[in-house]
């Protein structure tokens, strides 16, 4: 399986990082080794002093597809989840200055938290999902998929032009504003509405 990530999909997050608003979705990949193992803490890598959390709605692909039309995209997933795209911001900044790819900052081991999955049938509207991240019991990120520049079905249409989607592939759909640094002993909990989908400790 592969992890397909979307960057710059919420205007307020684009503004907080002083990035340029894209005309197309920004796409990058994480390998399967980036998935944080269940019940394991997240260890801050020794190559970074500035790792940030980025909470995101996840979509799990349930059948093979290529060049998927937007109107059929909903048939390619039946589970929605929540996760974190951990980012070594200092490393990313250095790479961006040189015009280099982001993978060292985004795709290292343990950089992808994948929480529990919810059936789409339990979600009233995938284009109006409220989600949040708590750090040490304080809400630090609050988002709603209604604020996405590109909605879930649009992303599936776009991404499937370039990559064949396979069963088990995961799409990270982008993060809202409020990203920030983690330090040892932080506790992070992610919620879709009032349902807790993950809880991790930082080491």
């Amino acid at each position: 399986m592969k992890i397909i990530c979307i960057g710059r999909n919420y205007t307020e997050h684009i503004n907080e990082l002083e990035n340029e608003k894209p005309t197309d979705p920004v796409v990058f990949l994480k390998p399967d080794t980036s998935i944080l193992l269940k019940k394991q803490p997240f260890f801050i890598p020794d190559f970074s002093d500035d790792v940030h959390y980025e909470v995101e709605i996840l979509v799990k692909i349930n059948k093979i597809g290529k060049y998927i039309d937007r109107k059929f995209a909903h048939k390619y997933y039946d589970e929605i989840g929540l996760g974190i795209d951990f980012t070594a911001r200092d490393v990313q900044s250095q790479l961006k200055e040189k015009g280099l790819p982001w993978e060292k900052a985004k795709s290292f081991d343990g950089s992808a938290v994948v929480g529990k999955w919810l059936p789409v049938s339990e979600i009233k509207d995938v284009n109006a999902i409220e989600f949040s991240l708590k750090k040490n019991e304080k809400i630090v990120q609050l988002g709603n998929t209604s604020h996405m520049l590109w909605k879930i079905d649009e992303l599936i249409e776009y991404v499937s032009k370039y990559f064949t989607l396979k069963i088990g592939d995961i799409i990270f759909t982008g993060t809202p504003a409020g990203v920030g640094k983690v330090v040892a002993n932080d506790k992070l909990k992610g919620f879709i509405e009032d349902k807790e989908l993950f809880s991790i400790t930082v080491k």
Side-chain angles (χ1 to χ4, degrees), residues 166-203:
K166 291 189 170 185
I167 296 167
D169 286 353
I170 298 172
I171 300 176
F172 275 62
T173 61
T175 193
V179 302
K181 183 176 180 177
V182 292
V183 297
N185 300 314
D186 278 346
K187 289 186 168 48
L188 303 174
K189 295 181 180 179
F191 299 82
I192 286 182
E193 295 178 353
D194 60 351
K195 294 178 181 176
E196 183 182 307
L197 296 194
F198 64 77
S199 177
I200 61 167
T201 301
V202 178
K203 297 287 189 183

Side-chain angles (χ1 to χ4, degrees), residues 15-203:
N15 294 337
E16 76 176 342
L17 294 187
E18 299 179 349
N19 285 323
E20 184 178 335
K21 188 173 180 179
T23 54
D24 292 302
V26 175
V27 179
F28 60 96
L29 301 179
K30 288 178 181 270
D32 58 2
T33 49
S34 68
I35 294 179
L36 185 67
L37 298 176
K38 299 295 183 187
K39 299 182 180 178
Q40 292 294 311
F42 170 74
F43 288 94
I44 296 172
D46 57 10
F47 54 77
S48 176
D49 295 316
D50 192 22
V51 173
H52 284 206
Y53 54 79
E54 298 187 9
V55 73
E56 310 197 11
I57 290 290
L58 312 184
V59 180
K60 187 193 287 185
I61 300 300
N62 65 3
K63 62 180 181 177
I64 296 174
K66 177 73 173 173
Y67 291 111
I68 300 165
D69 192 288
R70 189 180 314 174
K71 67 184 178 223
F72 300 122
H74 67 279
K75 298 183 177 186
Y76 287 80
Y77 61 97
D78 52 21
E79 291 180 293
I80 295 288
L82 194 70
I84 295 177
D85 165 25
F86 278 116
T87 303
R89 193 72 71 201
D90 46 359
V91 176
Q92 186 188 35
S93 295
Q94 294 165 11
L95 294 168
K96 285 167 69 175
E97 283 175 8
K98 298 175 182 177
L100 296 174
W102 299 350
E103 273 70 16
K104 286 191 289 186
K106 288 276 196 180
S107 305
F108 55 89
D109 289 355
S111 63
V113 174
V114 177
K116 299 173 187 172
W117 295 95
L118 298 176
V120 170
S121 58
E122 291 184 11
I123 295 170
K124 293 178 184 176
D125 182 358
V126 297
N127 294 321
I129 302 171
E130 187 168 288
F131 61 102
S132 61
L133 180 71
K134 288 184 179 179
K135 184 174 84 164
N136 304 326
E137 299 303 323
K138 178 184 176 183
I139 293 177
V140 289
Q141 284 189 276
L142 183 62
N144 193 297
T145 55
S146 64
H147 298 149
M148 286 180 170
L149 296 178
W150 292 278
K151 303 298 191 287
I152 289 172
D153 291 356
E154 293 176 87
L155 292 175
I156 289 173
E157 178 183 55
Y158 183 81
V159 166
S160 68
K161 293 178 185 176
Y162 301 93
F163 311 109
T164 296
L165 296 178
K166 291 189 170 185
I167 296 167
D169 286 353
I170 298 172
I171 300 176
F172 275 62
T173 61
T175 193
V179 302
K181 183 176 180 177
V182 292
V183 297
N185 300 314
D186 278 346
K187 289 186 168 48
L188 303 174
K189 295 181 180 179
F191 299 82
I192 286 182
E193 295 178 353
D194 60 351
K195 294 178 181 176
E196 183 182 307
L197 296 194
F198 64 77
S199 177
I200 61 167
T201 301
V202 178
K203 297 287 189 183

